[in-house]
């Protein structure tokens, strides 16, 4: 199992036309937890991996988590967002992270890319804050 950080910029990114802020993602975790997300490139994700949502604004922190439902696939019909991955938000873990987010400093993030692997030394902290 791998753990990935998925960067969301609430000022630029949307989820089905809604702002991609932590309040929206938390609500979706309870109301519509299945998401189809775009990737800038095909990552080597597998079914069962976890995707940790890092919100870049207003506070830079991880405040939601999902399970990956399948391997990323190519979407030839949309060249702007050519790769997609299906995930399911984890409501209880997202609630826990919403209440106690993991900051950028705690994650030790340097350069922020759209998707990157979680550093092994911070995974125990993410799991603990999410109650997993």
């Amino acid at each position: 199992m791998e753990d990935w950080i998925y960067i969301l910029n609430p000022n630029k990114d949307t989820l089905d036309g809604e702002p991609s802020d932590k309040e929206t993602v938390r609500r979706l975790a309870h109301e519509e937890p299945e998401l189809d997300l775009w990737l800038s490139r095909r990552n080597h994700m597998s079914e069962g991996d976890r995707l940790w949502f890092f919100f870049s604004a207003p506070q830079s922190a991880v405040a939601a988590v999902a399970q990956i439902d399948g391997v990323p696939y190519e979407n030839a019909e949309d060249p702007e967002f050519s790769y997609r991955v299906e995930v399911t938000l984890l409501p209880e873990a997202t609630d826990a992270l919403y209440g106690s987010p993991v900051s950028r400093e705690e994650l030790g993030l340097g350069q922020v890319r759209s998707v990157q692997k979680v550093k092994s030394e911070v995974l125990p902290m993410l799991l603990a804050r999410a109650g997993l």
Side-chain angles (χ1 to χ4, degrees), residues 25-26 30 36 59 73 75 90-91 106 109 111 115 127 130 132:
V25 174
R26 183 181 186 203
H30 291 276
D36 183 33
Q59 296 174 329
Y73 61 93
N75 180 14
L90 305 176
E106 291 173 299
L109 283 181
Q111 178 184 4
V115 176
L127 292 169
L132 297 174

Side-chain angles (χ1 to χ4, degrees), residues 39-85:
L39 301 168
S40 59
R41 61 186 174 90
R42 183 178 301 212
N43 296 86
H44 297 288
M45 298 173 173
S46 299
E47 184 175 342
D49 287 358
R50 283 183 292 255
L51 195 66
W52 302 87
F53 290 87
F54 177 85
F55 299 87
S56 62
Q59 296 174 329
S60 297
V62 168
V65 64
Q67 180 173 318
I68 295 175
D69 296 330
V71 297
Y73 61 93
E74 189 165 4
N75 180 14
E77 296 177 11
D78 189 354
E80 185 177 358
F81 304 110
S82 55
Y83 297 103
R84 313 284 298 187
V85 66

Side-chain angles (χ1 to χ4, degrees), residues 8 10 17 22 39 43 48 51 62 73 77 81 87 96 100 114 116 118 128-129:
L8 285 174
K22 65 182 196 171
L39 301 168
N43 296 86
L51 195 66
V62 168
Y73 61 93
E77 296 177 11
F81 304 110
V87 305
S100 183
S114 60
Q116 59 198 67
V118 171
R129 297 264 183 99

